[in-house]
Amino acid sequence: MENPVKNDSGIVINKVYTADDATAPLPNPGKFPYTRGIQEDMYRGRHWTMRQYAGFSTAEESNRRYQFLLAQGVTGLSVAFDLPTQIGYDSDHALAEGEVGKVGVAIDSIEDMEILFAGIDMEKVSTSMTINSTGFILLAFYAAVARKKGADISKLTGTIQNDILKEYAARGTYIYPPAPSMRIITDLFEWCSKEMPKWNTISISGYHIREAGSTAAQEVAFTLSNGKAYVKAAIENGIDINVLGKRLSFFFNAHNNLFEEVAKFRAARKIWAETMQSLGATDPKAMMLRFHAQTGGSTLTQQQPLNNIARVTLQALAAVLGGTQSLHTNGFDEALGLPTEEAAQVALKTQQIIAFESGVAETADPLGGSFYVESLTASMEDAVKEIMAHIDEMGGSVRAIEEGFMQEQIAQSAYHFQREVEQQKKIVVGVNKFQGAKDPEPTLLTIDDSIRDLQTEKLKKLKAKRDQEKVVHCLKMIEQAAANGNNIMPSVMDAVEQFCTLGEISDVLRNVFGEYRQ
């Protein structure tokens, strides 16, 4: 008997699909439960936001890259921060040594943020910031800079990732224990609802879950379960689900199996709409799953890096066919180092070719009605719901993470995939088959360790000119708000405007909340 063919989510794939395999006709795009898309006309009305994820070295260097990308036609910026910034250390901290400016830009203070967005109209550019543990501080820097430039912060548009649960499950850049981390997130929800109502206050991320080795079904199940946890926490804090739901966004990965990815996105929209309805949402817009997609970093190969252009194209096409609201395409050289300008330009042009030359933007949900896609969407929905039901039985995402369930499932999937590559049951072109001749040496973008010296000097000058009494007072106000259960955002805003640094604010909260150790 022939062995069944399965995709990575374990769904059996038939040799051929007929009308008997397809589900009943679905509501049109723009109609609950939004399987076919959240807008009636999708990209005929407006293309997805074309973002490029960038940030490295100093704020000055990153600003130059942003200006280059905006000149090339980027419609939204996505900011990458270095590791010390992500985990709440200033560049001059001993634990920051060797990491300053390496995987993103170093932002220690409001002055760095001001340089980062110099010459950029913050009311016109949508900005996404991939930051979690210190996301509230970075958003405070951003809002304070916008105010300094005369912008109305209530008009600012963009997204802060602010998704701490996936850090415990897959990525590791957490600082505080889960309970106070969830409290910080709900504080940000509340503050933004009043001060920055157009800002998406969380981007619930499956991207890093997939990067860590999960399957497509696990990516959606873990992400939507985390989303439920955030919504429940917000409701418990008196936040209106119909207001919050409109400001939630999601962040998914796009991998090489085009049809599995399209089905994943379609199923995710349907499940989330039903989930929000079950939690009490009544406003249709609060039930819509809006998502940003990024092509799969873990799928990129060091060997034959130009092959990555084809991979990124497939992945970007899957995201568009699946109905993404914004998209970042990876540079072909990112398995080797930070993307060069050439690679970033090719990545952006890939999106533009899909948008303006492929024809896929001319009609909503172009794969809707395909026997295969409809059957696969239904199967993906079943697989996701089974995992989510198990998490619910455990008591929800926080408990599932505390007990190591998500981490273990991701590790098992990653191990299984790697074994199949090693046994050539899965072919990765140029890696375990079709290797060919030795690759030519690529041009790489490297970051010099002297960046830390530059940042340290900036910090010295900043601390020498600021009003130290005001700094001490502001940090004390953050400490009191955190200890008393008050919303910390107003005191954080005061602190960043008085030139308190990211590390100083993080340390105050370390003293109140403690640090999490797995």
Side-chain angles (χ1 to χ4, degrees):
M1 182 177 178
E2 186 179 354
N3 289 329
V5 173
K6 297 181 179 181
N7 64 21
D8 288 342
S9 294
I11 297 168
V12 175
I13 306 301
N14 300 343
K15 288 182 178 179
V16 66
Y17 286 80
T18 68
D20 292 335
D21 299 300
T23 55
L26 294 167
N28 285 338
K31 303 295 182 183
F32 183 90
Y34 312 109
T35 309
R36 302 194 62 198
I38 62 171
Q39 289 110 11
E40 290 183 9
D41 59 357
M42 287 304 290
Y43 306 127
R44 285 183 74 153
R46 177 174 177 261
H47 282 121
W48 61 94
T49 301
M50 297 181 193
R51 295 189 183 278
Q52 283 305 109
Y53 186 49
F56 59 92
S57 185
T58 60
E60 290 88 347
E61 284 295 322
S62 291
N63 177 265
R64 279 191 277 273
R65 174 63 63 90
Y66 293 162
Q67 301 286 2
F68 168 78
L69 290 170
L70 290 167
Q72 298 299 314
V74 158
T75 54
L77 297 173
S78 292
V79 185
F81 298 96
D82 72 357
L83 192 57
T85 302
Q86 292 180 47
I87 56 177
Y89 293 118
D90 289 335
S91 297
D92 59 359
H93 194 284
L95 293 177
E97 187 173 357
E99 293 292 344
V100 176
K102 291 293 178 70
V103 299
V105 61
I107 300 293
D108 295 319
S109 72
I110 187 175
E111 288 191 342
D112 286 330
M113 187 68 81
E114 194 168 9
I115 294 166
L116 189 65
F117 284 92
I120 296 172
D121 189 332
M122 296 170 76
E123 283 191 17
K124 292 183 179 178
V125 172
S126 172
T127 301
S128 173
M129 292 189 277
T130 304
I131 194 76
N132 299 282
S133 297
T134 56
F136 66 104
I137 305 173
L138 272 299
L139 186 60
F141 285 152
Y142 188 83
V145 167
R147 279 179 178 167
K148 269 186 91 173
K149 294 173 77 167
D152 180 351
I153 67 168
S154 69
K155 295 179 180 178
L156 299 181
T157 60
T159 303
I160 191 85
Q161 190 162 100
N162 197 30
D163 174 11
I164 199 63
L165 291 179
K166 67 94 173 50
E167 296 297 327
Y168 301 115
R171 194 160 172 264
T173 62
Y174 45 76
I175 303 174
Y176 317 111
S181 292
M182 292 289 282
R183 178 266 181 93
I184 292 171
I185 287 168
T186 55
D187 280 358
L188 192 63
F189 288 170
E190 181 183 42
W191 184 81
C192 283
S193 70
K194 299 171 184 174
E195 303 291 337
M196 297 176 67
K198 293 186 176 182
W199 193 270
N200 294 322
T201 49
I202 191 168
S203 176
I204 306 159
S205 176
Y207 185 84
H208 304 97
I209 290 169
R210 192 71 179 278
E211 288 292 282
S214 80
T215 66
Q218 288 171 336
E219 175 191 358
V220 173
F222 295 162
T223 304
L224 299 191
S225 291
N226 289 349
K228 281 177 66 176
Y230 291 125
V231 171
K232 286 181 176 180
I235 292 170
E236 288 171 4
N237 280 271
I239 297 172
D240 186 342
I241 188 173
N242 286 315
V243 174
L244 174 68
K246 296 173 189 175
R247 298 269 60 90
L248 298 177
S249 68
F250 289 81
F251 176 20
F252 288 118
N253 214 312
H255 275 215
N256 293 328
N257 189 322
L258 186 142
F259 293 105
E260 182 180 24
E261 295 300 298
V262 172
K264 176 188 80 176
F265 297 132
R266 297 171 94 245
R269 267 193 300 271
K270 181 173 186 286
I271 296 168
W272 184 247
E274 294 171 346
T275 298
M276 287 296 279
Q277 187 179 62
S278 72
L279 292 171
T282 55
D283 189 323
K285 290 186 177 180
M287 303 179 208
M288 294 177 180
L289 183 147
R290 305 162 188 80
F291 74 96
H292 168 72
Q294 180 176 338
T295 56
S298 63
T299 69
L300 303 180
T301 63
Q302 293 182 8
Q303 302 92 331
Q304 301 177 11
L306 290 178
N307 293 345
N308 293 327
I309 297 174
R311 292 186 179 103
V312 168
T313 303
L314 269 176
Q315 294 162 8
L317 183 60
V320 171
L321 290 170
T324 192
Q325 277 60 68
S326 70
L327 177 61
H328 163 75
T329 34
N330 289 331
F332 64 81
D333 55 2
E334 286 190 55
L336 298 158
L338 291 164
T340 57
E341 282 197 359
E342 178 191 19
Q345 191 169 25
V346 170
L348 175 60
K349 298 302 179 188
T350 299
Q351 291 199 52
Q352 293 169 339
I353 290 167
I354 290 172
F356 297 103
E357 297 186 28
S358 72
V360 298
E362 292 170 3
T363 187
D365 190 31
L367 293 181
S370 156
F371 301 149
Y372 179 32
V373 170
E374 297 299 352
S375 175
L376 193 55
T377 300
S379 296
M380 182 65 73
E381 180 185 351
D382 290 342
V384 170
K385 284 183 173 178
E386 183 179 350
I387 300 169
M388 291 180 70
H390 183 73
I391 292 171
D392 286 342
E393 289 171 6
M394 295 180 72
S397 277
V398 175
R399 180 58 59 85
I401 289 167
E402 289 174 343
E403 294 186 10
F405 170 74
M406 290 188 189
Q407 299 92 313
E408 183 181 353
Q409 293 296 304
I410 294 168
Q412 287 180 3
S413 296
Y415 174 77
H416 177 72
F417 179 85
Q418 186 60 34
R419 288 288 293 162
E420 291 208 318
V421 170
E422 291 171 359
Q423 295 168 1
Q424 290 199 335
K425 292 179 180 178
K426 283 193 180 300
I427 301 303
V428 182
V429 174
V431 176
N432 63 356
K433 201 167 186 179
F434 313 116
Q435 287 94 335
K438 189 177 184 295
D439 296 330
E441 288 295 322
T443 302
L444 298 180
L445 177 62
T446 58
I447 304 300
D448 195 286
D449 283 332
S450 64
I451 297 303
R452 184 170 185 245
D453 296 333
L454 293 174
Q455 288 298 117
T456 298
E457 188 60 31
K458 279 188 193 177
L459 283 165
K460 284 180 181 176
K461 291 178 180 178
L462 175 78
K463 291 177 180 179
K465 71 180 183 182
R466 67 187 185 177
D467 187 324
Q468 193 58 30
E469 284 188 13
K470 289 181 179 178
V471 167
V472 171
H473 173 74
C474 287
L475 294 176
K476 188 67 178 176
M477 290 300 99
I478 294 174
E479 181 181 35
Q480 288 181 5
N484 296 336
N486 298 328
N487 193 306
I488 65 170
M489 282 303 296
S491 54
V492 171
M493 281 296 298
D494 290 341
V496 302
E497 289 176 339
Q498 293 300 325
F499 304 101
C500 294
T501 69
L502 174 132
E504 289 170 337
I505 296 169
S506 299
D507 283 345
V508 166
L509 296 178
R510 281 184 176 94
N511 291 334
V512 177
F513 297 141
E515 292 187 76
Y516 183 66
R517 298 278 188 265
Q518 281 193 338

